[in-house]
Amino acid sequence: MQEAWWRGAAIYQVYLRSFADGNGDGLGDLAGLRGRLDYLSKLGIDAIWLNPWYPSPMSDGGYDVADYRSIEPIFGTLAEAEKLIQEAHERDIKIIIDVVPNHSSDQSAWFQEALAAGPGSAARERFWFRPGREVDGGPPNDWQSIFGGPAWTRVPDGEWYLHLFAPEQPDFNWNSPAVREEFLDVLRFWLDRGVDGVRIDSAAVLIKDPDAEPDGLDPYTDRDGVHEIYREWRRVSDTYPGRFLIGEVWLPDQERFARYLRPDELHTAFNFDFLSCPWDPAALRRVIDDTLATHTPIGAPPTWVLSNHDVTRPVTRYGRPDTSFDHGDRKHGMTSDRDLGVRRARAAALLAMALPGGVYVYQGEELGLPEVEDIPDALLQDPIWARSGHTDRGRDGCRVPLPWAGDAPPYGYGGEPWLPQPADWGPLTVEAQEPDPSSMLNLYRTALRIRRDKLGDGTLTWLPLGEDVLAFTRDSGLTCVVNLGRQPVRLPEHQQICLASGAVDGGLLPSDTAVWLL
Ligand code: GLC
């Protein structure tokens, strides 16, 4: 039997409103993406994951969904989405969509209905409405929103509703059969339209009970009941051969994480331990070993992720004195050595792409874009900025529209970008990088091409080359060596250097450099 395509896939994340703007309104759209499919085809990826594309007031960049069966008009139409799926398939590119089951938009028909129907109504049962606490009518409990501030907002009739994220994102009550039915139907709606995979947003926090007495467990993260939901989803997706489910599961405990990947649940989940890990050989080795130890026994392929629309861009992160990532402290404004960051990001890319399993590339990572840290306060859009009382600048810095060509904004992106692009991005455009064999873009292109037939799913064998070095051989015989130490190291015996992230001289691999050998 042919191996499932997604097990070793290279998946490119398109943050639609910043990818390419086809109609000149400054916001990326489906027309822009359809116009750039050849770019993605040439990059050598297997699939595109699109962040939510549904009608949305954009209080959280589209993660506040008003209608799960339609397309946001600023992005285009359902007919265009169907065309995109078709045109991608013609190029052998699969399409993965993002489904947001934890919460909707406060503008969704269901939430508006719940507001109008009032306390005790069936419409309110689909969300978490509660009276205020007896003593003073305040919020029903002390839960805090993940974006900062209380997780409850009061409505005019005196009831409060729960939102683990922004107030514009009311949480669904997954004890409600109507909610469960609705999402099974949404899944079928998109699978029927030919999407190949579904990314599940905030997948571990669906089950909660605000009335329960504290039982020592986290009141909403990773409650046991969540697994039954994914078993139901899996039963639906299994009726569509070749499709897969990927969970956004942030959990520190690898054994709990692995429970989401049991054979009758999700097919894969994002590996955030790898993304959060500092640029340190022992720490990375531990994360890789733990990841393999978690996934191998259950037969699920690991995923390797260096960035996404929620985290600091790698070239900035890896140039800082502290190279780890943590949602609680984004280290905004910490000094970053750009050259060092770029060198390490190049090496990290070859590491991630050589490891067994699937790999994710977030748009702009292949161009080596840095985090934009000087967006004027007044232009910041991420709800984290306001919700944190203007202490956390949030995630806009990794969401700045892509530079395609030319030497000044908007760099061929389209209209005036919804977040300002830096004035010095001329050398980072696709146009500027294309002819340069040593550019980040060409490193990614070559790596993805080699990866197609020599890497992906499978196993690895570690090579003992010293404690500062990560070195392993893959099933195809390709060896990856990454030097994370300060001193150059001698390469193991080889016939050919297939690819190097930096200059390799006289058989010595410099600091912060990776090679692929045969
Ligand atoms: C996920 C998304 C993030 C969003 C949050 C709430 O973590 O990746 O962008 O803000 O869910 O939907």
Side-chain angles (χ1 to χ4, degrees), residues 13 15 49 51 60-61 63-64 98 100 102-103 147 165-166 169 199 201-202 248 250 308-310 327 382-384 395 399:
Q13 181 189 350
Y15 192 73
W49 151 37
N51 290 99
D60 182 22
Y63 283 94
D64 45 325
D98 208 321
V100 188
N102 182 65
H103 45 266
F147 288 165
F165 295 91
Q169 296 166 295
R199 181 254 189 199
D201 185 64
S202 305
E248 189 207 16
W250 291 87
N308 66 34
H309 64 294
D310 292 328
H327 279 293
D382 186 347
I384 288 181
R395 303 160 293 180
R399 299 174 175 181

Side-chain angles (χ1 to χ4, degrees), residues 199-319:
R199 181 254 189 199
I200 305 164
D201 185 64
S202 305
V205 298
L206 269 48
I207 293 294
K208 58 210 72 151
D209 182 358
D211 308 315
E213 295 298 321
D215 59 5
L217 299 172
D218 186 302
Y220 51 77
T221 308
D222 192 33
R223 307 288 293 196
D224 285 343
V226 78
H227 295 285
E228 189 42 40
I229 299 173
Y230 299 128
R231 289 196 191 101
E232 281 191 321
W233 287 35
R234 179 65 179 256
R235 285 195 286 273
V236 169
S237 86
D238 276 350
T239 63
Y240 296 81
R243 322 295 175 89
F244 85 117
L245 303 171
I246 170 148
E248 189 207 16
V249 180
W250 291 87
L251 285 183
D253 181 327
Q254 286 280 318
E255 274 176 31
R256 300 288 304 184
F257 176 88
R259 288 157 52 99
Y260 291 77
L261 302 178
R262 289 177 290 195
D264 60 346
E265 296 193 37
L266 307 182
H267 299 80
T268 65
F270 293 101
N271 183 350
F272 292 121
D273 289 346
F274 184 67
L275 176 155
S276 311
C277 187
W279 186 246
D280 171 85
L284 278 166
R285 172 74 195 253
R286 209 174 317 117
V287 168
I288 296 167
D289 280 337
D290 285 353
T291 301
L292 297 175
T294 307
H295 288 74
T296 311
I298 44 177
T303 64
W304 307 98
V305 187
L306 290 173
S307 66
N308 66 34
H309 64 294
D310 292 328
V311 308
T312 315
R313 292 268 191 196
V315 306
T316 301
R317 205 165 76 221
Y318 289 137

